[in-house]
Amino acid sequence: MKQVFYVIFFLSLGLTGYSQVNIIPKPAAVSMPAVKGELTIDASTHLVAATPALQPAADFLNAYLMEYYGFFLRGIKPKGSATTVRLAISTATNGPKEGYSLEAAKGSVTIKGQDAAGVFYGVQSLIQLLPVQKAARLAVPFVTISDYPRFAYRGMHLDVARHFFPVSFIREYIDYLALHKMNYFHWHLTDDQGWRIEIKKYPKLTQIGGFRNGTIIGHFPGTGNDNQHYGGFYTQEQVKEIVRYAAGRSITVVPEIEMPGHASAAIAAYPELSCFPNEPTTYPRRTTVAGDTTGKQVQQTWGVFNDVFAPTETTFTFLENVLDEVMALFPSKLIHIGGDECPKENWKRSAFCQQLIKDKGLKDEHGLQSYFIQRIEKYINGKGRSIIGWDEILEGGLAPNALVMSWRGEQGGIDAAKQSHYVVMTPGSHVYLDHSQTRRDDSLTIGGYTTVQKTYSYEPIPKEINQAEEKFILGAQGNVWTEYMAYPSKVEYQIFPRMTALSEVLWSSRALRNWTDFEPRLKIQLDRYDRWGVSYSKAVLQPEPEPPVKRSSN
Ligand code: TNX
């Protein structure tokens, strides 16, 4: 099958004589001159970045060329240089934000961005105009591209709490986003199974909360426990380095500090944050637990746990101090405060919580969750930032300025947009990249079945949203929960190629989105994955038969 594909590919090359333009995400407009031609990029090509702000884009191009082709371009014109790659900010005003134009013609490639991000995206398109295979001289077809994104928020998330990934992989992950013109990295830093960010004021968060005594084996509730002491965390220096690295790729890092639920790791470090500091941590039935089981412990299994933050002054002071350090590290306007899956059992049992509900005139425990989030929002707003939270923050009343991440389907997003709140869509049905890509799991996954075709078919603007409300849908994000991804290549396998499909959903206009047009471009992208040396699912090359239709007996 692949051979047939190559024959067709080379035939079409033979017919036109020149390589084709196969960019993902599909650019807004591409035109090739009537008289076709190509220029060559090689080690003698001169690279000009018009202003220092464009140096990161130039550096990215050079790092890519060096890694995959073995040469780089010089900023000082090499002797005998016949071609130039020129990066500049466009003088045209009022162009679309993050937009760019690329013109490849005789002797030069000129990329003009509306801003530095636009130039960076022009460089990504140029990278995709290069032949995938290694060569010393790279042919680039004559072409004019004019391009800009459909959505302002084009995100990918990564859970580093369930499994921890080294800084080197976080950098690679950010590069994958950059290569797909994505601009938000949502870094899920805390959860029941680990606290992963150094907080100077509370060292036990990482000393104790950063490690667990074991991890379940297999699917929840597990067939046993691996009995391995497991964990890790990022130092503040490492976090700063990642934030800088991402900024050089036009990517904003949004940190997530989970509250009031998913807080077991923080509570293991500081039991006074719990409603019941003296009650030992409880575990789901049938889960085998390793090591010490007295007192508060970091969880070793997946799911939702009743031991959540108590809405006390102690907790609020703690969270404010944590957030102060977090906001100093992350310049992002958006700070993610979680808000999801907070069981109300402990709040129901707690005399303090019940009294607080009365004193504050709240309706019930959902009102208390809303009170919790609104208090944190006020604090974060006071520092000039905004909160974003999972759609449970709608329950009991949305905090006045909050943004909502809609994960339990689209309804949370629809409700929030109708209340004039900004929304990022992340519905489980299409963009939970922890789901299986084959009908039967071909490796251990959380379950579900989400093909690359399904992700590609996702439309971020729900049909219930009217035109006036559309502006509240900022975009969408792929979520990568790592209960069943214990190492980097597994993360790669889960995101590729679905994240490539999502990038087109987020960048390209609705009218240009078309699977028949996308599929051959995706196949070229699979060759690029091979060059990158990443793991990816080949399910798209092996379409699965539909399951037999159940007939009613007649
Ligand atoms: C739900 S999505 C969660 C996560 C899990 C994920 C697994 C969300 C806000 N909460 O804690 O890891 O499902 O798919």
Side-chain angles (χ1 to χ4, degrees):
M1 182 60 206
K2 207 164 179 189
Q3 275 147 346
V4 175
F5 172 73
Y6 279 125
V7 170
I8 295 170
F9 179 72
F10 284 117
L11 271 179
S12 63
L13 209 76
L15 289 178
T16 63
Y18 296 101
S19 48
Q20 302 294 298
V21 173
N22 285 300
I23 295 171
I24 297 175
K26 182 111 176 154
V30 175
S31 63
M32 297 185 86
V35 182
K36 301 225 179 332
E38 56 190 25
L39 68 135
T40 303
I41 290 181
D42 60 21
S44 75
T45 299
H46 183 200
L47 175 60
V48 183
T51 63
L54 305 182
Q55 199 53 45
D59 291 346
F60 189 94
L61 176 61
N62 266 339
Y64 193 92
L65 289 172
M66 196 61 208
E67 183 155 1
Y68 299 109
Y69 304 99
F71 69 86
F72 67 96
L73 312 185
R74 278 161 225 279
I76 296 169
K77 193 173 180 176
K79 264 210 192 92
S81 171
T83 51
T84 306
V85 172
R86 197 170 287 112
L87 311 181
I89 300 280
S90 167
T91 49
T93 48
N94 288 331
K97 262 188 92 183
E98 304 180 284
Y100 70 92
S101 66
L102 181 154
E103 184 159 14
K106 195 167 184 300
S108 70
V109 178
T110 305
I111 293 170
K112 283 190 190 152
Q114 206 54 47
D115 40 39
V119 173
F120 188 81
Y121 299 136
V123 164
Q124 302 316 313
S125 291
L126 173 58
I127 283 172
Q128 293 190 39
L129 290 173
L130 304 176
V132 175
Q133 299 315 324
K134 186 168 181 171
R137 296 163 55 80
L138 307 175
V140 173
F142 291 173
V143 66
T144 302
I145 297 172
S146 159
D147 198 12
Y148 58 91
R150 178 178 174 203
F151 289 104
Y153 189 109
R154 306 179 300 280
M156 282 290 286
H157 149 287
L158 183 65
D159 165 14
V160 296
R162 274 57 178 269
H163 282 101
F164 176 73
F165 301 94
V167 169
S168 57
F169 181 67
I170 303 299
R171 275 198 226 104
E172 281 170 27
Y173 195 80
I174 288 171
D175 281 344
Y176 302 148
L177 269 69
L179 288 158
H180 289 85
K181 303 188 174 86
M182 291 198 168
N183 62 350
Y184 280 92
F185 169 43
H186 171 174
W187 204 2
H188 183 80
L189 286 162
T190 73
D191 215 304
D192 298 295
Q193 300 79 6
W195 182 285
R196 306 279 177 234
I197 177 171
E198 177 191 24
I199 300 295
K200 305 253 193 213
K201 197 162 194 148
Y202 301 105
K204 286 194 278 183
L205 281 174
T206 43
Q207 284 163 5
I208 293 175
F211 297 86
R212 57 182 182 253
N213 291 328
T215 305
I216 59 157
I217 296 170
H219 269 135
F220 176 88
T223 55
N225 193 299
D226 69 6
N227 290 297
Q228 301 286 317
H229 185 68
Y230 178 92
F233 62 90
Y234 308 100
T235 65
Q236 294 207 349
E237 281 313 306
Q238 290 173 323
V239 168
K240 280 186 214 158
E241 204 264 314
I242 288 295
V243 168
R244 244 194 330 265
Y245 189 86
R249 285 150 181 74
S250 297
I251 291 170
T252 302
V253 186
V254 178
E256 179 177 354
I257 304 295
E258 271 270 19
M259 64 189 80
H262 286 294
S264 305
I267 288 172
Y270 296 98
E272 63 270 28
L273 301 171
S274 161
C275 290
F276 301 100
N278 300 321
E279 286 183 7
T281 297
T282 56
Y283 305 92
R285 248 174 4 106
R286 292 187 297 141
T287 281
T288 320
V289 185
D292 184 8
T293 52
T294 61
K296 301 288 190 192
Q297 298 289 337
V298 178
Q299 282 291 351
Q300 303 174 25
T301 186
W302 323 125
V304 171
F305 305 96
N306 287 344
D307 206 359
V308 302
F309 285 135
T312 56
E313 291 312 306
T314 307
T315 299
F316 285 115
T317 305
F318 164 82
L319 287 172
E320 289 172 9
N321 289 336
V322 166
L323 288 167
D324 279 349
E325 292 192 33
V326 168
M327 286 187 279
L329 292 168
F330 295 90
S332 168
K333 171 95 178 154
L334 300 180
I335 302 292
H336 204 300
I337 48 77
D340 60 313
E341 298 180 323
C342 179
K344 308 294 185 293
E345 271 66 17
N346 279 14
W347 291 358
K348 281 187 186 143
R349 285 200 294 134
S350 149
F352 170 83
C353 292
Q354 292 307 312
Q355 189 58 45
L356 189 62
I357 289 174
K358 274 202 200 111
D359 292 350
K360 300 284 175 197
L362 305 170
K363 195 159 160 262
D364 53 14
E365 292 73 24
H366 292 291
L368 190 51
Q369 153 123 354
S370 176
Y371 162 82
F372 196 115
I373 301 294
Q374 296 206 21
R375 242 185 102 156
I376 293 292
E377 172 175 81
K378 230 187 222 143
Y379 188 75
I380 289 180
N381 286 170
K383 308 278 170 180
R385 314 291 183 97
S386 304
I387 64 161
I388 181 162
W390 300 111
D391 56 48
E392 285 93 331
I393 67 171
L394 280 149
E395 291 165 8
L398 201 48
N401 308 310
L403 285 82
V404 172
M405 239 175 214
S406 186
W407 72 279
R408 297 174 302 173
E410 297 182 293
Q411 197 56 46
I414 296 166
D415 294 345
K418 295 209 177 285
Q419 296 174 40
S420 303
H421 284 253
Y422 287 101
V423 171
V424 174
M425 300 299 288
T426 69
S429 54
H430 292 77
V431 295
Y432 264 49
L433 308 187
D434 54 347
H435 289 184
S436 177
Q437 298 173 84
T438 47
R439 202 177 293 282
R440 284 160 172 271
D441 290 3
D442 56 0
S443 63
L444 188 70
T445 67
I446 202 157
Y449 174 49
T450 305
T451 59
V452 63
Q453 289 88 341
K454 178 131 191 225
T455 301
Y456 190 77
S457 75
Y458 180 55
E459 171 47 44
I461 309 264
K463 54 181 182 323
E464 293 81 355
I465 291 291
N466 68 34
Q467 228 179 350
E469 292 153 355
E470 270 187 24
K471 65 169 186 291
F472 292 113
I473 310 291
L474 293 179
Q477 172 177 283
N479 285 348
V480 183
W481 300 102
T482 59
E483 289 94 333
Y484 300 100
M485 301 179 211
Y487 40 88
S489 61
K490 184 65 190 285
V491 171
E492 291 170 357
Y493 184 81
Q494 292 298 122
I495 64 173
F496 296 129
R498 289 180 293 194
M499 134 177 212
T500 300
L502 179 62
S503 77
E504 188 149 307
V505 170
L506 291 170
W507 180 279
S508 309
S509 72
R510 203 167 173 166
L512 282 176
R513 190 143 42 95
N514 172 333
W515 175 262
T516 319
D517 184 84
F518 178 69
E519 195 176 8
R521 284 182 288 122
L522 179 60
K523 287 186 174 155
I524 292 166
Q525 181 72 358
L526 300 188
D527 294 338
R528 217 171 267 124
Y529 298 156
D530 286 330
R531 286 304 318 279
W532 297 347
V534 299
S535 339
Y536 60 93
S537 166
K538 296 190 173 69
V540 67
L541 299 172
Q542 298 136 10
E544 292 183 282
E546 287 297 313
V549 180
K550 276 210 186 107
R551 290 174 200 282
S552 54
S553 53
N554 49 7

